[in-house]
Amino acid sequence: MTFDDNHYKSQQQPCIVLSTTNSQESAIKIAQYLLNNHLAACVSLLPEMKSVYLWKGNVTEDNEILLLIKSTIGNQQALFDAIKEIHPYEIPELIRLDPNQVEDNYLQWLVNSVR
């Protein structure tokens, strides 16, 4: 396998990006934008949850929606940039998780669904 083959294959590696937002409407807007622009293959929205976190020196509590965004490592930067552009938060949560095992048929669907 050459460098180009390795690079191409690494760009197709699946990833899951975690992000939260403050409303169902915002979550749907982000999900639709990512899907319409082929930056994600699927976005799962987990129902409202309570987040407790430090913000500007204070403990803060908010209700949030968790987005589980399925994409590829090759799309990570464009995906992060798109979310930052349309997200209502000053600093959105953007955490990439790299699964080490993905079923072959699901992986093929995921890769074919993004750029």
Side-chain angles (χ1 to χ4, degrees):
M1 194 175 275
T2 67
F3 170 77
D4 287 338
D5 292 338
N6 285 331
H7 178 73
Y8 179 74
K9 189 169 184 156
S10 71
Q11 295 297 299
Q12 291 187 332
Q13 289 299 310
C15 69
I16 297 171
V17 173
L18 304 179
S19 189
T20 54
T21 191
N22 59 356
S23 70
Q24 188 75 15
E25 295 78 23
S26 175
I28 291 170
K29 177 183 174 184
I30 292 167
Q32 289 178 339
Y33 185 87
L34 296 176
L35 294 167
N36 287 333
N37 289 284
H38 300 278
L39 296 172
C42 176
V43 181
S44 299
L45 308 179
L46 278 67
E48 192 173 288
M49 62 186 185
K50 178 71 74 177
S51 292
V52 182
Y53 56 96
L54 288 173
W55 181 248
K56 298 185 178 182
N58 297 307
V59 175
T60 304
E61 291 184 31
D62 279 314
N63 293 326
E64 293 187 299
I65 306 294
L66 175 63
L67 291 82
L68 296 176
I69 304 162
K70 290 80 162 200
S71 190
T72 58
I73 290 173
N75 278 340
Q76 177 196 320
Q77 192 58 56
L79 189 146
F80 278 21
D81 290 345
I83 292 173
K84 286 184 216 175
E85 188 175 310
I86 64 173
H87 204 286
Y89 291 175
E90 183 179 334
I91 303 174
E93 174 184 359
L94 294 168
I95 299 172
R96 186 183 92 192
L97 304 176
D98 297 332
N100 60 9
Q101 292 186 355
V102 177
E103 193 275 329
D104 290 340
N105 291 324
Y106 184 87
L107 177 59
Q108 191 61 48
W109 166 80
L110 188 150
V111 168
N112 289 338
S113 296
V114 298
R115 307 185 212 190

